[in-house]
Each structure stands twice: as C-alpha cells, then as structure tokens.
Amino acid sequence: MSVKLNIPTEYTLKTCELDERKVTYRAFENLWYCEKPVDPIQKLSIYVPEAYYHAEKIGPYDQHTAPIFMPNTVGGYLPGPIDKPGIDKRSKQANSIFQALEHGYVDVSVGVRGRTSGKKTTDFFVGSKEGDLGTETGKMIGRAPAFIVDYKAAIRYLRYLQGTIPGDTNRIITNGTSAGGALSALAGASGNSPDFTPYLAQIGAVNERDDIFAASCYCPIHNLENADSAYEWLFAGQNDYYRTKHQRTEHGIIRVPDTGHMTPSQIKLSHELKALFPSYLNQLGLTDDKGTKLTLNKQGEGPFKDFVKEQLLRSANQELQTHENETTRQNWLTNGSQVEQQPYLIFTAGKVTALNWDEFVKKITRMKATPAFDALDLSSPENEEFGDETVERRHFTPFSLQHSSVSNSELADEKIIKTLNPVSYICEGTATIAKHWRIRHGSFDRDTSLAIPLILALLLKNKGYDVDFEIPWGVNHAGDYDLAELFSWIDEICAPA
Ligand code: DHB
C-alpha cells in the first residue's frame, strides 16, 4: 500500500474527565507515519493540550518548548497499538498519556508491529493493551527489527511535522515497560544508525533524523543474547520456578499458573550458563563512580556482585526511610515485600546494613526455567521475535542452538540480533545516543536478571551519559508507577532556560 504523508490539519477537540481531573486537548488521530505501510497498526495519534492554541503556558512550557512524550504499549514483543488518554487498567488511575497532557507535554502514541502481526493471538503480557486478537493476514511482517523500525519511522514523521504542531522535536522522550522498555532503550541507543536504513526505506519512512533526547525504560527486557547467562548468574541453585502466564479470552484476561521443578538436565544447563556470564560481563569494562572495575571471577563473585548488592541496600534503605512504595504503590508490589519483613536484611541502628544474597534470591524466586529466554523448544516470545516471514521461530544464542530440541532449528542472523540490543549500539558508539536516561527495575522483578538493567545503566554512565537508575523496593515487573517522579525528571532535563 502507498499513502501520501500530509501535514495534519483535521483534529477533534476532546475532553477527558477522570474523577476530579480533566484535560482538554486536540487529537490528531490515526495518522500514517510512513508512505509504504505494511500493517494497519503503523499509525500514530498526537494529543496536544488545547492551552497551547491560546498562547497559554502550562508550567514552564509553551507551544514551542513543550516536550514530546512518546510512550509505547508494547508488551511481550507483541504488537503495540495506539493508546489514548484514559484509565490505566492495572492502577485504575489516569494513564501516562492523560497525566502527561495535564502536565503540559505533547503526547504521541505510536502503533508498532510485533512478533504476532499478521495472525490472531491469545498471548497477553502484563502492561500490554488488551485490544483485539489481531487479524489473520498470513504475512508475518512484525518480527525483529520491525518494532524499532516503526518507532523510528514515527520519530522521523514527527520531525517532518516540526513547527506545524506544538511540541519541540529536540525534546522527544520515549517511554515503555518490559519489551516496551527495551523498545524505548533501543530508540535511545540507536539514533540514526545506518543499520536501519534499508528497513526504514522499505516502509517509506521520511528522510529525517530519528535520534531522541531522552529514554525512560521500565524493566527493559533487552540484551536478549546475554539474558540467559545473566539469569543463571542470579538464579542458578534455585530449581523451582513460579510463573503466571496470561491469556486473552472472550471473557477477558485469564491467569494460567506455570510452576514446576527443573529437570536434572535443565539444572545442568543452568550451571553451564552461569559459568558463561563472567566473561561477558568482564569484557564490558564497567566501573563504578570511583573507577573500581566491576568484574566477576569464574564463580560469579566479585566487585560487580558487591555493586549490585549495594544498589539493593540503597533501595531497601530508601524504602525504610520513606515507606513510599508500601504506602503509595500497592498495585505494583509483590505481596510480602515490606522492607521490615525481610529476614535476609540486617538492620543496625535503624538502617539496612547488610543483605544475605542467597536468601534474597530465594525470596524473590526464579520465574523462568533454564534457559529463561532462548528456549530449547523455541517456545519463548523472544524465539518468535527472531522469526521472520518464512521461519516462525529461531534461536538467538549459540548455546541454545547447540542444545536445541527442535531439529533443523536456526540461529537468527547476527545483524538482526544486534538491531534488537541497545547495549550493542552503546558499545559500538556509532549511533546518536540519547543524552538522558531513566531506568527502573523493581527489586522483586524476576522477568530478567537484575544484572541486565544494571549493565545498561553502568555502561551509559561510564560513557558519560546522564543516567537516573533506581531499583524501587518491592516493585515487581511493572511500569508507570511513579509518573510524578518521571515527569519531575523530564522537567529537570527539559525546562526552558
Ligand atoms: C515481557 C516479559 C518477559 O518475561 C519477557 O520474556 C518478554 C517480555 C513483557 O512483559 O513485555
């Protein structure tokens, strides 16, 4: 299909009222952002506070200086459809788009393809939109790197519109959770990278820059080719897994428990994968603020582990002082995570002074059996993400290919694996990397190893980028739970001089 990209002039004046709160905005909805779309999801909506059309200010911002907040709704590497101001189902509070409008940001909600684009699916991940089940076209055109190609095409389209709609395209801030957090991190790490040029040309993206100013990433499920060994670095020795899968049905979302004991062969692989982690970690050359090298010995012990422990202590102390999560973030906390109730924390004179690592790991529990991401039977969402139009699923680590239980299984192309990993772009240093980063990973989040977001944060910090990293105590796999703080951060980095 071929469409002509226009400067949008038609809009609907809308008001959204939630409890005592109200936002009035112009909605420019369902605009194609590329000239040769391959899927109906490739549209975006722009929401602009009406005040900006009356020469008014909201906080420090006016129509020229308002930051552009660009959240995505990707979860589980599924398609992420357009969202609009309204209620967030999980928190039952105003969603990020509503709150961002209220705060004076121009909001852009982008629809991006995902691993199941082209077929119906009952898959559902916490954080993704319930939406419909998809359409059966038989054309699997949403696999890697489609989601980041679409996000980039949308960013380029916004630059094409600069000056015609309020908002400053030099202040684009992406936001996402989990696979959507990975997408936000990719947008931040791979700005203008030539790796995406052919994909962007294929969908007829406009010829503009696609770098962004800042990336907000909640529990980003990224660095997939190293996530299995990082997972076992944390969880080897824990042989029971506790997971709840979600499925869409006609009657809404149902929860399907998936709990079990790992087989002797999985346990063996767990230890083999754990042994691979130190050499990966060590070659990154990470350091702390004092310049100490954050390495690990062959047993997985050393300064990096001490550093992770320190971050956990910092998180526990923060919660002990404020009880902010316990009192204001109940919806996002793991039951039984109250800081005073953790027997593996040592309290001295009103402070948390030590943490028993093994007991902490036992408490948060393993969620996924080994290998956590590159499943030997190709059954993980990530395996499907690395499929393409002709091959349904692929491995993305030599380890799982070698141990694969599927005959004739393939390894994804290394170039495609790279396009999905923000860390590869940060290491390479050839792309335009966002100046500002905000990364959050809850202390009770077991969807990926705590090492994974820490590597991202440390690497960026070591390379001189501005990084705000926290491990909020008790929080599980979730995002958007601290929007007031997120917006304060955005205001700090964006406030007009
Ligand atoms: C998500 C969660 C996972 O555990 C995973 O492997 C991939 C994606 C998610 O919630 O988006």
Side-chain angles (χ1 to χ4, degrees):
M1 183 163 83
S2 175
V3 298
K4 187 146 171 38
L5 298 184
N6 292 313
I7 306 285
T9 49
E10 279 174 34
Y11 64 88
T12 319
L13 185 63
K14 292 192 171 178
T15 294
C16 182
E17 273 189 82
L18 301 173
D19 302 325
E20 306 289 282
R21 297 157 73 174
K22 182 166 123 174
V23 285
T24 300
Y25 58 97
R26 289 190 189 190
F28 300 85
E29 288 175 297
N30 300 312
L31 312 170
W32 293 110
Y33 54 72
C34 54
E35 288 182 330
K36 292 184 248 167
V38 290
D39 192 281
I41 208 167
Q42 290 173 302
K43 290 181 172 178
L44 58 73
S45 292
I46 307 175
Y47 309 111
V48 186
E50 175 63 13
Y52 291 145
Y53 290 94
H54 303 279
E56 289 167 20
K57 284 185 131 188
I58 303 179
Y61 305 115
D62 61 24
Q63 57 170 313
H64 304 293
T65 59
I68 299 175
F69 183 65
M70 197 172 173
N72 69 70
T73 62
V74 171
Y77 288 96
L78 293 166
I82 291 182
D83 205 358
K84 56 177 193 261
I87 291 273
D88 175 76
K89 281 222 163 133
R90 184 164 184 189
S91 66
K92 310 208 171 38
Q93 291 166 7
N95 66 13
S96 70
I97 300 180
F98 181 102
Q99 296 198 42
L101 275 172
E102 207 177 31
H103 202 82
Y105 305 149
V106 170
D107 285 43
V108 177
S109 182
V110 190
V112 300
R113 289 170 290 165
R115 63 185 163 93
T116 60
S117 293
K119 69 175 180 191
K120 285 192 193 299
T121 180
T122 56
D123 281 13
F124 179 77
F125 278 71
V126 174
S128 52
K129 272 194 71 175
E130 289 187 28
D132 60 32
L133 304 182
T135 329
E136 203 84 47
T137 64
K139 281 204 133 192
M140 304 311 296
I141 36 66
R143 270 76 190 252
F147 77 159
I148 179 64
V149 172
D150 288 355
Y151 220 29
K152 282 174 178 292
I155 293 163
R156 287 169 168 226
Y157 178 64
L158 292 178
R159 286 231 162 79
Y160 168 77
L161 299 183
Q162 171 68 32
T164 68
I165 285 191
D168 181 357
T169 53
N170 287 319
R171 294 286 180 274
I172 295 176
I173 300 108
T174 57
N175 181 51
T177 300
S178 195
L183 177 55
S184 183
L186 264 173
S190 70
N192 309 321
S193 164
D195 289 3
F196 299 91
T197 310
Y199 299 103
L200 287 160
Q202 221 169 41
I203 60 165
V206 286
N207 197 9
E208 294 276 352
R209 281 162 41 212
D210 57 55
D211 58 292
I212 56 164
F213 182 64
S216 160
C217 316
Y218 289 99
C219 51
I221 298 284
H222 69 291
N223 202 349
L224 299 174
E225 64 272 34
N226 298 295
D228 287 332
S229 64
Y231 205 77
E232 300 312 325
W233 171 72
L234 191 60
F235 290 112
Q238 301 301 315
N239 299 329
D240 295 324
Y241 53 92
Y242 303 87
R243 179 173 200 166
T244 304
K245 291 187 171 166
H246 295 84
Q247 262 179 2
R248 298 171 212 246
T249 70
E250 282 168 23
H251 315 292
I253 305 297
I254 54 161
R255 293 156 60 91
V256 188
D258 177 20
T259 294
H261 190 71
M262 298 213 294
T263 62
S265 104
Q266 284 175 318
I267 294 170
K268 182 167 173 281
L269 294 181
S270 155
H271 291 286
E272 286 176 30
L273 278 165
K274 177 181 177 179
L276 297 178
F277 186 62
S279 58
Y280 167 67
L281 192 269
N282 292 345
Q283 56 82 35
L284 291 168
L286 303 174
T287 60
D288 68 10
D289 284 346
K290 296 186 211 96
T292 308
K293 287 203 166 82
L294 298 176
T295 53
L296 291 172
N297 67 17
K298 283 200 168 118
Q299 287 70 46
E301 303 290 329
F304 179 76
K305 183 168 170 179
D306 299 339
F307 184 83
V308 179
K309 223 192 265 187
E310 264 171 46
Q311 303 308 305
L312 283 166
L313 285 178
R314 195 160 69 89
S315 158
N317 273 310
Q318 165 98 2
E319 177 65 4
L320 188 64
Q321 277 164 27
T322 64
H323 290 104
E324 206 183 345
N325 292 346
E326 197 183 325
T327 50
T328 66
R329 305 209 165 98
Q330 278 296 330
N331 286 323
W332 299 278
L333 301 186
T334 299
N335 284 337
S337 62
Q338 289 88 339
V339 69
E340 279 96 344
Q341 291 172 18
Q342 308 309 309
Y344 51 84
L345 294 178
I346 314 296
F347 297 85
T348 320
K351 277 195 154 177
V352 187
T353 50
L355 172 144
N356 181 319
W357 181 270
D358 292 343
E359 292 301 315
F360 164 73
V361 174
K362 202 190 245 173
K363 169 74 185 182
I364 66 169
T365 72
R366 169 194 285 276
M367 173 184 166
K368 299 171 176 180
T370 310
F373 293 88
D374 192 354
L376 302 186
D377 61 357
L378 293 176
S379 62
S380 76
E382 290 79 7
N383 291 127
E384 185 171 31
E385 175 65 3
F386 284 109
D388 59 23
E389 273 192 73
T390 50
V391 176
E392 190 67 5
R393 299 159 174 279
R394 285 197 180 89
H395 289 295
F396 46 94
T397 63
F399 185 92
S400 287
L401 178 71
Q402 194 193 334
H403 295 91
S404 185
S405 62
V406 178
S407 54
N408 301 323
S409 56
E410 292 178 13
L411 187 64
D413 187 322
E414 65 179 314
K415 290 201 194 96
I416 302 277
I417 298 174
K418 180 189 170 199
T419 60
L420 231 63
N421 193 347
V423 170
S424 56
Y425 290 95
I426 300 163
C427 287
E428 191 180 72
T430 51
T432 314
I433 297 177
K435 276 204 183 86
H436 304 281
W437 293 75
R438 188 174 191 272
I439 303 164
R440 293 290 181 272
H441 181 102
S443 71
F444 278 60
D445 187 338
R446 321 116 344 118
D447 277 60
T448 195
S449 169
L450 194 43
I452 292 292
L454 261 163
I455 288 171
L456 178 66
L458 280 166
L459 198 60
L460 285 160
K461 221 169 170 211
N462 288 176
K463 300 222 180 253
Y465 297 95
D466 170 35
V467 183
D468 180 324
F469 176 76
E470 297 280 352
I471 304 170
W473 187 264
V475 169
N476 53 42
H477 193 60
D480 291 359
Y481 42 75
D482 57 351
L483 290 173
E485 288 82 356
L486 170 62
F487 295 165
S488 299
W489 175 77
I490 293 177
D491 291 344
E492 257 169 53
I493 59 174
C494 288

